[in-house]
Each structure stands twice: as C-alpha cells, then as structure tokens.
Coordinates of all heavy atoms in Angstrom, one line a residue:
M280 N -183.2 49.4 -53.4 CA -182.9 49.1 -54.8 C -182.0 48.0 -54.8 O -180.9 47.9 -54.2 CB -182.3 50.4 -55.4 CG -183.4 51.3 -56.0 SD -182.8 52.1 -57.4 CE -182.4 53.7 -56.7
R281 N -182.3 47.0 -55.6 CA -181.5 45.8 -55.7 C -181.5 45.2 -57.1 O -182.3 44.4 -57.5 CB -182.1 44.8 -54.7 CG -181.0 43.8 -54.3 CD -181.4 43.2 -53.0 NE -180.4 42.2 -52.6 CZ -180.7 40.9 -52.6 NH1 -181.9 40.4 -52.9 NH2 -179.8 40.0 -52.2
P282 N -180.6 45.7 -58.0 CA -180.5 45.2 -59.3 C -180.3 43.7 -59.4 O -179.5 43.2 -58.6 CB -179.3 45.9 -59.9 CG -179.0 47.1 -59.0 CD -179.6 46.7 -57.7
A283 N -181.0 43.0 -60.3 CA -181.0 41.6 -60.3 C -179.6 41.0 -60.6 O -179.3 39.9 -60.2 CB -182.0 41.1 -61.3
H284 N -178.8 41.8 -61.3 CA -177.5 41.2 -61.7 C -176.4 41.3 -60.6 O -175.4 40.8 -60.8 CB -177.0 42.0 -63.0 CG -176.7 43.4 -62.7 ND1 -177.7 44.3 -62.7 CD2 -175.5 44.1 -62.5 CE1 -177.1 45.5 -62.5 NE2 -175.8 45.4 -62.4
H285 N -176.8 41.9 -59.5 CA -175.9 42.0 -58.4 C -176.3 40.9 -57.4 O -177.2 41.1 -56.5 CB -175.9 43.3 -57.7 CG -175.1 44.3 -58.4 ND1 -173.7 44.1 -58.8 CD2 -175.4 45.6 -58.9 CE1 -173.3 45.2 -59.4 NE2 -174.2 46.1 -59.5
D286 N -175.8 39.8 -57.5 CA -176.1 38.7 -56.6 C -174.9 38.4 -55.7 O -174.0 37.8 -56.0 CB -176.4 37.4 -57.4 CG -177.0 36.3 -56.6 OD1 -177.4 36.5 -55.4 OD2 -176.9 35.1 -57.1
T287 N -175.0 39.0 -54.5 CA -173.9 38.9 -53.5 C -173.9 37.8 -52.6 O -175.0 37.4 -52.1 CB -173.8 40.3 -52.8 OG1 -175.0 40.5 -52.1 CG2 -173.5 41.4 -53.7
T288 N -172.8 37.3 -52.2 CA -172.7 36.3 -51.2 C -171.5 36.7 -50.3 O -170.6 37.5 -50.7 CB -172.4 34.9 -51.8 OG1 -171.4 35.0 -52.7 CG2 -173.6 34.4 -52.5
T289 N -171.4 36.0 -49.1 CA -170.2 36.3 -48.3 C -169.4 35.0 -48.3 O -169.9 33.9 -48.1 CB -170.6 36.7 -46.9 OG1 -171.5 35.8 -46.4 CG2 -171.2 38.1 -46.9
V290 N -168.1 35.2 -48.4 CA -167.2 34.0 -48.4 C -166.2 34.1 -47.3 O -165.8 35.2 -46.9 CB -166.3 34.0 -49.7 CG1 -165.9 32.6 -50.1 CG2 -167.1 34.6 -50.9
E291 N -165.9 33.0 -46.7 CA -165.0 33.0 -45.6 C -163.6 32.5 -46.0 O -163.5 31.6 -46.8 CB -165.5 32.1 -44.5 CG -166.5 32.9 -43.6 CD -167.2 31.9 -42.6 OE1 -166.5 31.3 -41.8 OE2 -168.4 31.8 -42.6
R292 N -162.6 33.3 -45.6 CA -161.3 32.9 -45.9 C -160.4 33.0 -44.7 O -160.0 34.0 -44.2 CB -160.8 34.0 -46.9 CG -159.9 33.4 -48.0 CD -159.5 34.4 -49.0 NE -160.2 34.4 -50.3 CZ -159.9 35.3 -51.2 NH1 -159.0 36.2 -51.1 NH2 -160.6 35.2 -52.4
G293 N -160.2 31.8 -44.1 CA -159.5 31.7 -42.8 C -160.4 32.4 -41.8 O -161.5 32.1 -41.6
S294 N -159.8 33.4 -41.1 CA -160.6 34.1 -40.1 C -161.2 35.4 -40.6 O -161.7 36.2 -39.9 CB -159.6 34.4 -38.9 OG -158.5 35.1 -39.3
F295 N -161.1 35.5 -41.9 CA -161.7 36.7 -42.6 C -162.9 36.3 -43.4 O -163.1 35.2 -43.7 CB -160.7 37.4 -43.5 CG -159.5 38.0 -42.8 CD1 -158.4 37.2 -42.5 CD2 -159.6 39.3 -42.3 CE1 -157.3 37.8 -41.8 CE2 -158.5 39.9 -41.6 CZ -157.4 39.1 -41.4
A296 N -163.7 37.3 -43.6 CA -164.9 37.2 -44.5 C -164.9 38.3 -45.5 O -164.5 39.4 -45.2 CB -166.2 37.2 -43.6
L297 N -165.3 38.0 -46.7 CA -165.4 39.0 -47.7 C -166.7 38.8 -48.6 O -167.2 37.7 -48.7 CB -164.2 39.1 -48.5 CG -163.7 37.8 -49.2 CD1 -164.2 37.7 -50.6 CD2 -162.1 37.8 -49.2
A298 N -167.1 39.9 -49.1 CA -168.3 39.9 -50.0 C -167.9 39.6 -51.4 O -166.8 40.0 -51.9 CB -169.0 41.2 -49.9
R299 N -168.8 38.9 -52.1 CA -168.5 38.5 -53.5 C -169.8 38.7 -54.3 O -170.9 38.4 -53.8 CB -168.1 37.0 -53.5 CG -167.1 36.8 -54.6 CD -166.7 35.4 -54.6 NE -165.3 35.2 -55.2 CZ -164.7 34.1 -55.2 NH1 -165.3 33.0 -54.7 NH2 -163.5 34.0 -55.7
C300 N -169.6 39.2 -55.5 CA -170.8 39.4 -56.3 C -170.7 38.6 -57.6 O -169.6 38.3 -58.1 CB -170.9 40.9 -56.6 SG -172.5 41.3 -57.5
S301 N -171.9 38.3 -58.2 CA -172.0 37.6 -59.5 C -171.4 38.4 -60.6 O -171.1 37.9 -61.7 CB -173.4 37.2 -59.7 OG -174.2 38.4 -59.8
C302 N -171.3 39.7 -60.4 CA -170.8 40.6 -61.5 C -169.2 40.5 -61.5 O -168.6 41.1 -62.4 CB -171.3 42.0 -61.3 SG -170.4 42.9 -60.0
G303 N -168.6 39.8 -60.6 CA -167.2 39.7 -60.6 C -166.5 40.5 -59.5 O -165.3 40.4 -59.2
W304 N -167.3 41.4 -58.8 CA -166.7 42.2 -57.8 C -166.5 41.4 -56.5 O -167.2 40.5 -56.1 CB -167.8 43.3 -57.5 CG -167.4 44.2 -56.3 CD1 -166.7 45.3 -56.3 CD2 -167.9 44.0 -54.9 NE1 -166.6 45.8 -55.0 CE2 -167.4 45.1 -54.2 CE3 -168.7 43.1 -54.3 CZ2 -167.6 45.2 -52.8 CZ3 -168.9 43.2 -53.0 CH2 -168.4 44.2 -52.2
T305 N -165.4 41.8 -55.8 CA -165.1 41.2 -54.6 C -164.7 42.3 -53.6 O -164.0 43.2 -53.9 CB -163.8 40.2 -54.7 OG1 -164.1 39.3 -55.7 CG2 -163.6 39.5 -53.4
G306 N -165.3 42.2 -52.4 CA -165.0 43.2 -51.4 C -163.8 43.0 -50.6 O -163.1 41.9 -50.8
P307 N -163.4 43.9 -49.8 CA -162.2 43.7 -49.0 C -162.4 42.7 -47.9 O -163.5 42.5 -47.4 CB -161.9 45.1 -48.4 CG -163.3 45.8 -48.4 CD -164.0 45.2 -49.6
A308 N -161.3 42.1 -47.5 CA -161.4 41.1 -46.4 C -161.7 41.8 -45.1 O -161.1 42.7 -44.7 CB -160.1 40.3 -46.3
R309 N -162.7 41.3 -44.4 CA -163.1 41.8 -43.1 C -163.0 40.8 -42.0 O -163.0 39.6 -42.3 CB -164.6 42.2 -43.2 CG -164.9 43.2 -44.3 CD -164.3 44.5 -44.0 NE -164.9 45.6 -44.9 CZ -164.5 46.8 -44.9 NH1 -163.5 47.2 -44.1 NH2 -165.1 47.7 -45.6
R310 N -162.8 41.3 -40.8 CA -162.7 40.3 -39.7 C -164.0 39.8 -39.2 O -164.1 38.9 -38.4 CB -161.9 41.0 -38.6 CG -160.5 40.3 -38.4 CD -159.7 40.9 -37.3 NE -159.2 42.2 -37.8 CZ -158.6 43.1 -36.9 NH1 -158.6 42.8 -35.6 NH2 -158.1 44.2 -37.4
S311 N -165.1 40.4 -39.7 CA -166.4 39.9 -39.2 C -167.3 39.8 -40.4 O -167.3 40.6 -41.4 CB -167.0 40.9 -38.2 OG -167.8 41.9 -38.8
R312 N -168.2 38.8 -40.4 CA -169.1 38.6 -41.5 C -170.1 39.7 -41.6 O -170.6 40.0 -42.7 CB -169.9 37.2 -41.2 CG -169.9 36.4 -42.4 CD -170.5 35.0 -42.1 NE -169.7 34.3 -41.2 CZ -170.3 33.3 -40.4 NH1 -171.5 33.0 -40.6 NH2 -169.5 32.6 -39.6
E313 N -170.4 40.3 -40.5 CA -171.4 41.5 -40.6 C -170.8 42.6 -41.5 O -171.5 43.1 -42.3 CB -171.5 42.0 -39.2 CG -172.1 41.0 -38.2 CD -173.6 40.8 -38.3 OE1 -174.3 41.8 -38.4 OE2 -174.0 39.6 -38.4
R314 N -169.5 42.8 -41.3 CA -168.9 43.8 -42.1 C -168.9 43.5 -43.6 O -169.2 44.3 -44.5 CB -167.4 44.0 -41.7 CG -167.2 44.9 -40.5 CD -167.8 46.2 -40.8 NE -166.9 47.3 -40.4 CZ -167.4 48.6 -40.4 NH1 -168.6 48.8 -40.7 NH2 -166.6 49.5 -40.0
A315 N -168.6 42.2 -43.9 CA -168.7 41.8 -45.3 C -170.1 41.9 -45.9 O -170.2 42.3 -47.0 CB -168.2 40.3 -45.4
R316 N -171.1 41.7 -45.0 CA -172.4 41.8 -45.5 C -172.8 43.2 -45.8 O -173.5 43.6 -46.7 CB -173.4 41.2 -44.5 CG -174.3 40.2 -45.2 CD -175.2 39.5 -44.2 NE -174.5 38.5 -43.4 CZ -174.9 38.1 -42.2 NH1 -175.9 38.6 -41.6 NH2 -174.2 37.1 -41.6
T317 N -172.2 44.1 -45.0 CA -172.4 45.6 -45.2 C -171.8 46.0 -46.5 O -172.4 46.8 -47.3 CB -171.8 46.4 -44.0 OG1 -172.4 45.9 -42.8 CG2 -172.1 47.8 -44.2
D318 N -170.6 45.5 -46.8 CA -169.9 45.8 -48.0 C -170.8 45.3 -49.2 O -170.9 46.0 -50.2 CB -168.6 45.0 -48.1 CG -167.6 45.7 -47.2 OD1 -167.7 46.9 -46.9 OD2 -166.6 45.0 -46.8
A319 N -171.3 44.1 -49.1 CA -172.2 43.5 -50.1 C -173.4 44.4 -50.4 O -173.7 44.7 -51.5 CB -172.6 42.1 -49.7
R320 N -174.0 44.9 -49.3 CA -175.2 45.7 -49.5 C -174.8 47.0 -50.1 O -175.6 47.6 -51.0 CB -175.9 45.9 -48.2 CG -177.3 45.5 -48.3 CD -178.0 45.6 -46.9 NE -177.5 44.6 -46.0 CZ -177.7 44.6 -44.7 NH1 -178.2 45.7 -44.1 NH2 -177.2 43.7 -43.9
A321 N -173.7 47.6 -49.8 CA -173.2 48.9 -50.3 C -173.0 48.7 -51.8 O -173.3 49.6 -52.6 CB -172.0 49.3 -49.6
H322 N -172.4 47.5 -52.2 CA -172.1 47.3 -53.6 C -173.4 47.1 -54.4 O -173.5 47.6 -55.5 CB -171.3 46.0 -53.7 CG -171.1 45.5 -55.1 ND1 -170.3 46.2 -56.0 CD2 -171.7 44.5 -55.8 CE1 -170.4 45.5 -57.2 NE2 -171.3 44.5 -57.1
E323 N -174.4 46.4 -53.8 CA -175.6 46.2 -54.5 C -176.3 47.5 -54.9 O -177.0 47.6 -55.9 CB -176.6 45.4 -53.6 CG -176.2 43.9 -53.7 CD -177.1 43.1 -52.7 OE1 -178.1 43.6 -52.3 OE2 -176.8 41.9 -52.5
S324 N -176.1 48.5 -54.0 CA -176.8 49.8 -54.3 C -175.9 50.7 -55.1 O -176.3 51.8 -55.4 CB -177.2 50.5 -53.0 OG -176.1 50.5 -52.1
A325 N -174.7 50.2 -55.4 CA -173.8 51.1 -56.2 C -174.2 51.0 -57.7 O -175.0 50.2 -58.1 CB -172.4 50.5 -56.1
A326 N -173.6 51.9 -58.4 CA -174.0 52.0 -59.9 C -173.5 50.8 -60.6 O -172.3 50.3 -60.4 CB -173.4 53.2 -60.5
P327 N -174.3 50.2 -61.5 CA -173.9 49.0 -62.2 C -172.8 49.3 -63.2 O -172.7 50.4 -63.7 CB -175.2 48.6 -62.9 CG -176.1 49.8 -63.0 CD -175.7 50.6 -61.8
G328 N -172.0 48.3 -63.5 CA -170.9 48.5 -64.4 C -169.6 49.0 -63.7 O -168.6 49.0 -64.3
E329 N -169.7 49.3 -62.4 CA -168.5 49.7 -61.7 C -167.7 48.5 -61.3 O -168.2 47.6 -60.7 CB -169.0 50.5 -60.5 CG -168.5 51.9 -60.5 CD -169.0 52.7 -59.2 OE1 -168.5 52.4 -58.2 OE2 -169.9 53.5 -59.4
A330 N -166.4 48.6 -61.5 CA -165.6 47.5 -61.1 C -165.2 47.8 -59.7 O -164.9 46.9 -58.9 CB -164.4 47.4 -62.1
Ligands
LIG1559 ZN1 -172.1 43.4 -58.5

C-alpha cells in the first residue's frame, strides 16, 4: 500500500541520512541510508494524517 500523498525521499546530512516526506514528515537521522529508506517505507504504510 502506497498512498499517493506520501512521496518520500532520503536526504543526507553530513554523515547521517534521514527520510523526508511530501506531507511534511521527517524521519530520525540514521547513520545509514538503508535505515532511512526503511523509515520512509514504514511511514508510507502508516496512517495518513499522522504527524
Ligand atoms: Zn507522509
């Protein structure tokens, strides 16, 4: 399931990576991009409207 309004990307900040969504959500800073991508996928399947 992938709601269209959840458009996630991963952003790099120094040696950290974090997930970001078009709905305004930002994931925690991770030390690996894989982790950030996992956060993004978890967010995409989360209930819409959740901050
Ligand atoms: Zn979102």
Side-chain angles (χ1 to χ4, degrees):
M280 270 210 258
R281 206 159 175 245
H284 64 281
H285 281 306
D286 187 16
T287 57
T288 49
T289 52
V290 208
E291 277 173 57
R292 221 180 254 179
S294 52
F295 292 91
L297 53 94
R299 213 179 208 175
C300 186
S301 56
C302 76
W304 172 88
T305 307
R309 304 291 197 183
R310 246 179 283 169
S311 89
R312 228 177 292 159
E313 301 282 311
R314 273 306 221 192
R316 232 175 285 158
T317 304
D318 287 334
R320 233 174 291 159
H322 171 74
E323 281 178 14
S324 51
E329 242 178 74

